[in-house]
């Protein structure tokens, strides 16, 4: 194979760069492509809208990270329009800036994978054939994936090894098949309260599963081990133990990463994408040419970019002559719940165990990944258990209301804050189940509102199928029983139709039929020979697990397909 | 009750400019929003001996930094100032005095009264939120002096801690 050459040329109108591969977005969807292609000798450029943070930049500054949104754009500069559809068909329009409704995640090199908690579950074989297995549901657009679990399994394994996933693959009813016996990295240290949880599950006949985490328990892969800082989710990892796309992949290859580069348009001819245009921080425009383009800007923004990239060949937006771009947007359905474990019911030893800081909880239940209710089989989901986030300001803030929703203050408030934070701990759970794809949940372009770059913003058309809440509530009831069995108090559940902005997928479905999907089975646009989409946009259904592992795995799979094409 | 002065501002410094407290056209005094809010801080989070006091928190200093913060919206900043003005107007309407001239029990009654209104509940929530941020945020922000808030709640901050405030 001849080693490809890249060149950068100055043109009269600015700088034009030419690469073998140009990747838009540096998160879990883009970074595996960059890693594989760059390590194969190709010249790879990654354009990232956000800034470039490294390990040394990551601190546990709750005010900056969790209160002031350090890693997300200001809504006055960039936001979305949300058109929320209720069950009776009425649609309410919300301007994200006015309503402080943000769908941004980690706008930074490595994307939101920097800020994830790293709860890593594989999708199950039946998730790839939801339609065949469980049938259609009225009002939903359920389809099977064009690939099977077996197609993706080697890449799940690759992610375990390359990105780094720690865990213990114990046998349980819904454990998916594995090509390796166990995870390459052992489980992280866990809090002693997990024993109480295991005991409660055993007495209930539930199978407690150690939650796999994309976190290294010891120094390896050229990265440092977890420091058990007690502040993981929402924060960048200062040791590099967390398997972010940045730490695990981009920092381990020679791909050129340009940060603060907002791609606003793709040009194409009839068959190929020819160049991308991006703005830097000063709104200076640049152009990049490449042989292959990979779009991975996060599901909503990828659809937005395609829809905004109209030309004579694609008057409805790039790769959208069949009108499918932006359709079937999905989120992770479900919600959360919690219960408080108080000192009063514990021995001194147990009190100390409860308050052990830094150690993980790492327990999940998948007993109801499929369940029967009234003689009918349903696709269920996953329940992850974890301690309430260590953020002290938010923990104190939740105490300023009494049980009736009235504000309290003064000594009453001081006593409540002190008692609840120093003599109890909240155990929470998160429910993950399918957000069914429908005609009413999609990405379009708002014709009126523009962002600070002067580009029309994405409109998120929101709708949650009633089935989603039904399944979520079923799972949450099971989780509640565990908390009750553990002696938790003040148990509450919040299963809703609210879309989690960090768990979004769809919009550019992959499929075999070019009339009803945007991408082929290798995530290449049906209509363009050199455009791939590799963030979660490709997913026709989302499974009942967090998406990141599947995004990583699929991106490694697509990288192999691109490499095979280049070699041939 | 409608107050003519509700949206009338004298623009100097955001919280140190004087607002004239009026009710039904009658002038009841001139106060600054910052002095009003400083007193509200003490009323919401009194020096009880069981928690950090307002000086330990350095609450006014922290709130001032919020009012100049690059990532806090203008709407929020304006609401903080307006709320101080409306609180004084409520005080004038109820007791013919500015908030700072009320007795401690009168001030508590006014706080209770506004907490039952939509704007008042939101404003007190906002003031309390920034007070808690000051009390429990990293001391690099100039508040939570000597880690008094963290020590009170046996809180161990995550490491590494910030070396510079994001303002």
């Amino acid at each position: 194979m001849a080693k490809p050459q890249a060149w950068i040329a100055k043109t009269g109108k600015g700088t034009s760069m030419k690469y073998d591969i140009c990747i838009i977005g540096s998160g879990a969807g883009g970074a595996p492509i960059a890693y594989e292609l760059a390590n194969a000798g190709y010249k790879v450029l990654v354009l990232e809208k956000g800034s470039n943070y490294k390990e040394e930049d990551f601190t546990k500054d709750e005010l900056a990270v969790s209160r002031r949104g350090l890693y997300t754009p200001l809504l006055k500069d960039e936001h979305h329009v949300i058109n929320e559809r209720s069950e009776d068909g009425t649609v309410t329009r919300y301007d994200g800036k006015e309503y402080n409704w943000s769908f941004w995640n980690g706008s930074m090199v490595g994307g939101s994978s920097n800020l994830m908690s790293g709860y890593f579950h594989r999708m199950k074989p039946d998730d790839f054939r939801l339609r065949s297995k469980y049938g259609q549901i009225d009002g939903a657009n359920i389809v099977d994936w064009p690939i099977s679990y077996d197609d993706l399994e080697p890449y799940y394994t690759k992610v375990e090894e390359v990105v780094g996933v720690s865990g213990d693959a114990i046998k349980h009813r819904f454990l998916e098949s594995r090509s390796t016996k166990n995870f390459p990295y052992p489980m992280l240290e866990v809090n002693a309260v997990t024993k109480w949880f295991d005991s409660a599950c055993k007495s209930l006949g539930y199978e407690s599963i150690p939650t796999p985490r994309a976190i290294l328990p010891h120094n390896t892969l050229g990265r440092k081990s977890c420091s058990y800082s007690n502040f993981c989710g929402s924060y960048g990892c200062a040791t590099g133990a967390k398997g972010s796309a940045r730490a695990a992949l981009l920092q381990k290859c020679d791909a050129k990463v340009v940060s603060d580069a907002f791609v606003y348009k793709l040009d194409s001819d009839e068959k190929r994408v020819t160049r991308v245009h991006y703005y830097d921080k000063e709104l200076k425009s640049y152009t990049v040419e490449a042989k292959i383009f990979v779009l991975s800007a996060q599901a909503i923004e990828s659809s937005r970019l395609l829809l905004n990239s109209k030309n004579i060949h694609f008057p409805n937006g790039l790769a959208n002559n069949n009108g499918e771009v932006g359709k079937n947007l999905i989120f992770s359905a479900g919600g959360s719940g919690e219960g408080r474990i108080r000192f009063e019911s514990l021995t001194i030893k147990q009190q100390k165990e409860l308050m052990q800081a830094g150690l993980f909880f790492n327990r999940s239940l998948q007993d109801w990944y499929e369940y029967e209710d009234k003689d009918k089989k349903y696709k269920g989901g996953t329940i992850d258990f974890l301690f309430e986030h260590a953020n002290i300001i938010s923990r104190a803030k939740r105490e300023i209301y009494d049980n009736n929703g009235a504000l309290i203050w003064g000594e009453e408030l001081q006593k409540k804050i002190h008692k609840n934070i120093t003599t109890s701990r909240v155990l929470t759970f998160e429910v993950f189940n399918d957000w069914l794809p429908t005609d009413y949940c999609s990405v379009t372009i708002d014709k009126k509102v523009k962002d600070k770059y002067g580009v029309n913003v994405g409109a998120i058309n929101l709708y949650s199928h009633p089935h989603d809440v039904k399944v979520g509530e079923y799972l949450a009831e099971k989780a509640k029983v565990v908390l009750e069995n553990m002696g938790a108090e003040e148990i509450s559940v919040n299963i809703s139709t609210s879309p989690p902005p960090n768990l979004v997928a769809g919009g550019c479905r992959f499929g075999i039929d070019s009339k009803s999907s945007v991408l082929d089975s290798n995530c290449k646009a049906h209509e363009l020979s050199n455009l791939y989409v590799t963030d979660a946009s490709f997913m026709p259904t989302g499974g009942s697990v967090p998406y990141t592992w599947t995004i990583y795995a699929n991106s490694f799979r697509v990288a192999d397909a691109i490499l095979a094409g280049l070699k041939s | 009750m409608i107050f003519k002065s509700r949206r009338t501002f004298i623009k100097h410094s955001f919280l140190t400019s004087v607002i004239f407290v009026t009710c039904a056209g009658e002038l009841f005094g001139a106060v600054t929003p910052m002095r009003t809010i400083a007193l509200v801080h003490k009323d919401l989070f009194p020096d009880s001996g069981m928690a950090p006091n307002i000086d330990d928190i350095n609450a006014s200093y922290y709130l001032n930094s919020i009012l100049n913060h690059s990532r806090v919206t203008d709407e929020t900043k304006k609401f903080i100032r307006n709320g101080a003005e409306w609180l004084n107007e409520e005080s004038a309407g109820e007791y013919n005095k500015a908030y700072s001239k009320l007795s401690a029990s009168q001030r508590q009654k006014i706080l209770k009264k506004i907490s039952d209104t939509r704007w008042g509940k939101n404003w007190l929530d906002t003031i309390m939120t920034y007070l808690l941020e000051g009390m429990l945020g990293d001391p690099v922000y100039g508040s939570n002096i000597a880690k008094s808030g963290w020590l009170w709640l046996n809180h161990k901050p995550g490491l590494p801690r910030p070396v510079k405030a994001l303002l």
Side-chain angles (χ1 to χ4, degrees):
Chain A
M1 182 185 70
K3 198 153 191 177
Q5 295 297 309
W7 51 268
I8 299 174
K10 295 273 186 186
T11 69
K13 292 182 178 177
T15 301
S16 179
M17 296 164 273
K18 191 163 186 176
Y19 285 81
D20 293 315
I21 317 287
C22 175
I23 301 171
I24 302 156
S26 65
I33 311 278
Y35 177 87
E36 294 287 59
L37 274 287
N39 285 339
Y42 292 95
K43 293 297 178 186
V44 179
L45 176 72
V46 182
L47 298 172
E48 166 55 49
K49 177 184 148 188
S51 297
N52 190 15
Y53 298 94
K54 296 177 181 169
E55 271 82 32
E56 55 266 34
D57 301 316
F58 291 130
T59 68
K60 310 304 186 201
D61 183 348
E62 182 179 352
L63 288 173
V65 175
S66 297
R67 313 291 304 176
R68 301 286 94 78
L70 172 62
Y71 303 126
T72 54
L74 288 169
L75 291 176
K76 73 180 173 66
D77 294 332
E78 301 170 68
H79 60 282
H80 298 95
V81 168
I82 300 106
N83 301 310
E84 189 174 36
R85 182 186 180 92
S86 54
E87 272 194 61
D88 65 8
T90 56
V91 176
T92 308
R93 185 179 190 273
Y94 299 93
D95 185 301
K97 179 174 62 178
E98 290 174 20
Y99 286 86
N100 199 30
W101 195 346
S102 175
F103 278 82
W104 301 118
N105 296 299
S107 188
M108 59 210 293
V109 172
S112 54
S113 65
N114 286 288
L115 312 177
M116 66 179 177
S117 297
Y119 293 96
F120 266 32
H121 299 280
R122 299 179 180 205
M123 285 173 58
K124 312 288 183 192
D126 283 346
D127 285 322
F128 293 75
R129 45 193 171 98
L130 209 57
R131 171 72 184 267
S132 301
K133 173 81 181 182
Y134 298 99
Q136 190 58 275
I137 294 174
D138 282 348
N141 302 327
I142 305 168
V143 294
D144 290 349
W145 285 35
I147 62 171
S148 70
Y149 174 79
D150 290 342
D151 293 320
L152 207 54
E153 198 286 334
Y155 298 99
Y156 278 127
T157 301
K158 186 166 194 169
V159 175
E160 286 184 4
E161 292 161 356
V162 176
V163 174
V165 184
S166 55
D168 187 12
I170 66 164
K171 284 193 175 176
H172 63 92
R173 185 179 160 205
F174 288 104
L175 178 65
E176 58 285 340
S177 63
R178 296 177 53 89
S179 56
T180 58
K181 190 177 175 189
N182 211 333
F183 290 90
Y185 308 104
M187 282 178 56
L188 295 152
E189 297 292 322
V190 293
N191 185 292
V193 177
T194 55
K195 290 180 200 159
W196 315 353
F197 179 86
D198 293 343
S199 175
C201 288
K202 193 175 178 185
S203 71
L204 292 163
Y206 300 168
E207 295 181 295
S208 170
I209 306 166
T211 311
R213 301 290 294 268
I215 300 172
L216 298 176
H218 55 248
N219 293 355
T220 185
L221 298 174
R223 291 150 51 197
K224 291 180 184 168
S225 68
C226 177
S227 65
Y228 297 92
S229 74
N230 206 28
F231 291 77
C232 188
S234 304
Y235 289 89
C237 181
T239 69
K242 192 193 289 185
S244 72
R246 176 193 49 77
L249 301 172
L250 295 175
Q251 289 182 186
K252 307 297 181 192
C253 70
D254 289 331
K256 179 177 174 61
V257 180
V258 176
S259 57
D260 302 299
F262 172 68
V263 175
Y264 62 93
K265 194 171 192 302
L266 301 173
D267 288 343
S268 83
D269 57 26
E270 199 175 348
K271 295 284 183 189
R272 298 174 61 83
V273 175
T274 51
R275 63 184 72 83
V276 303
H277 303 277
Y278 75 87
Y279 289 123
D280 67 9
K281 271 200 284 197
E282 279 73 44
L283 292 183
K284 185 180 175 189
S285 183
Y286 297 80
T287 300
V288 177
E289 295 177 34
K291 294 174 183 168
I292 291 173
F293 294 87
V294 177
L295 178 54
S296 56
Q298 183 248 25
I300 294 165
E301 291 303 292
S302 288
S303 282
R304 176 196 176 200
L305 179 57
L306 292 175
L307 292 170
N308 272 331
S309 297
K310 297 175 182 176
N311 62 39
I312 191 170
H313 307 291
F314 296 96
N316 302 314
L318 212 56
N320 193 35
N321 283 331
N322 63 3
E324 288 294 317
V325 170
K327 288 189 174 175
N328 295 302
L329 186 74
I330 54 175
F331 296 85
S332 180
S336 60
E338 64 178 38
R340 189 182 290 276
I341 301 174
R342 291 194 177 279
F343 273 15
E344 284 85 341
S345 60
L346 305 177
T347 64
I348 299 292
K349 179 172 176 280
Q350 287 174 321
Q351 291 172 5
K352 285 182 182 169
E353 289 176 342
L354 179 68
M355 303 309 269
Q356 284 175 324
L359 301 179
F360 293 100
F361 196 83
N362 284 357
R363 286 293 186 271
S364 302
L365 295 176
Q366 292 190 321
D367 295 63
W368 310 278
Y369 211 83
E370 176 187 275
Y371 65 91
E372 272 191 40
D373 194 25
K374 295 172 187 166
D375 296 330
K376 187 171 169 28
K377 280 190 177 175
Y378 289 92
K379 168 67 197 307
T382 300
I383 311 167
D384 284 341
F385 288 81
L386 59 155
F387 279 123
E388 180 185 33
H389 199 288
N391 273 346
I392 189 69
I393 296 167
S394 58
R395 287 163 63 203
K397 171 78 196 301
R398 61 181 281 164
E399 305 298 344
I400 71 173
Y401 290 92
D402 66 15
N403 292 337
N404 299 317
L407 272 169
I408 60 171
W409 58 83
E411 291 187 19
E412 182 187 3
L413 175 64
Q414 292 172 344
K415 286 176 186 169
K416 185 165 180 257
I417 290 175
H418 190 264
K419 179 175 172 56
N420 279 346
I421 289 182
T422 62
T423 67
S424 73
R425 202 160 176 192
V426 173
L427 186 59
T428 65
F429 63 84
E430 294 176 350
V431 173
F432 299 87
N433 60 278
D434 286 89
W435 177 293
L436 296 180
T438 67
D439 288 344
Y440 305 122
C441 198
S442 64
V443 179
T444 50
I445 300 298
D446 191 89
K447 291 175 181 169
K448 295 178 184 170
V449 180
K450 296 187 177 187
D451 64 13
K452 69 174 181 181
Y453 302 101
V455 179
N456 287 80
V457 305
I460 302 166
N461 305 299
L462 271 185
Y463 175 70
S464 168
H465 194 290
H467 183 83
D468 305 345
V469 169
K470 187 176 163 187
V471 175
E473 287 176 342
Y474 181 91
L475 295 169
E477 282 302 312
K478 302 294 184 186
K480 264 178 73 177
V481 174
V482 180
L483 293 181
E484 285 164 1
N485 193 287
M486 292 177 72
E489 302 172 12
E490 301 165 39
I491 297 172
S492 63
V493 169
N494 180 25
I495 300 296
S496 75
T497 58
S498 299
N502 59 332
L503 292 163
V504 56
C508 296
R509 277 183 163 184
F510 75 160
I512 294 166
D513 180 7
S514 62
K515 291 178 184 168
S516 61
S517 57
V518 178
L519 310 171
D520 68 14
S521 58
N522 283 329
C523 292
K524 184 189 75 62
H526 286 299
E527 295 186 276
L528 290 150
S529 63
N530 66 340
L531 175 66
Y532 292 79
V533 182
T534 59
D535 53 29
S537 301
F538 78 94
M539 298 170 75
T541 57
S544 297
V545 293
Y547 301 144
T548 312
W549 195 353
T550 299
I551 299 169
Y552 268 136
N554 182 66
S555 187
F556 275 114
R557 184 184 69 89
V558 174
D560 273 358
I562 294 173
L563 277 169
L566 286 167
K567 285 173 185 170
S568 67
Chain B
M1 193 179 297
I2 299 170
F3 301 106
K4 284 184 179 176
S5 62
R6 180 152 288 183
R7 286 170 184 82
T8 306
F9 301 109
I10 301 169
K11 287 188 179 177
H12 293 298
S13 172
F14 198 73
L15 279 186
T16 55
S17 61
V18 170
I19 52 175
F20 294 100
V21 183
T22 62
C23 181
E26 191 177 345
L27 181 65
F28 290 96
V31 297
T32 67
M34 186 52 104
R35 286 191 64 181
T36 300
I37 294 172
L39 189 54
V40 171
H41 280 153
K42 290 185 176 178
D43 291 336
L44 293 176
F45 214 80
D47 188 0
S48 63
M50 67 174 80
N53 63 38
I54 289 300
D55 292 334
D56 291 333
I57 297 169
N58 210 6
S60 293
Y61 174 87
Y62 181 77
L63 185 66
N64 202 47
S65 73
I66 287 296
L67 292 163
N68 292 290
H69 203 291
S70 61
R71 298 186 72 88
V72 174
T73 64
D74 290 343
E75 289 77 13
T76 298
K77 293 170 183 173
K78 191 173 175 183
F79 180 59
I80 290 170
R81 188 195 191 282
N82 285 358
E85 186 170 355
W86 301 339
L87 176 67
N88 275 298
E89 290 171 355
E90 291 287 351
S91 303
E94 196 77 19
Y95 296 109
N96 294 333
K97 292 177 184 172
Y99 185 78
S100 61
K101 303 293 184 189
L102 302 182
S103 68
S105 65
Q106 287 172 328
R107 295 200 303 272
Q108 288 295 325
K109 283 178 185 168
I110 288 293
L111 292 179
K112 179 70 180 72
K113 185 182 178 191
I114 68 164
S115 77
D116 291 330
T117 68
R118 190 173 173 187
W119 79 263
K121 191 173 186 178
N122 286 341
W123 187 74
L124 289 171
D125 181 296
T126 302
I127 295 297
M128 185 66 81
T129 298
Y130 290 123
L131 192 154
L132 293 174
E133 285 190 2
M135 181 171 73
L136 297 169
D138 196 283
V140 75
Y141 284 84
S143 56
N144 186 13
I145 290 172
K147 306 177 191 173
S148 56
W150 291 350
L151 292 170
W152 177 48
L153 297 177
N154 300 330
H155 175 67
K156 293 190 178 91
L159 298 175
R161 286 176 45 199
V163 294
K164 187 180 171 190
L166 174 75
L167 295 172

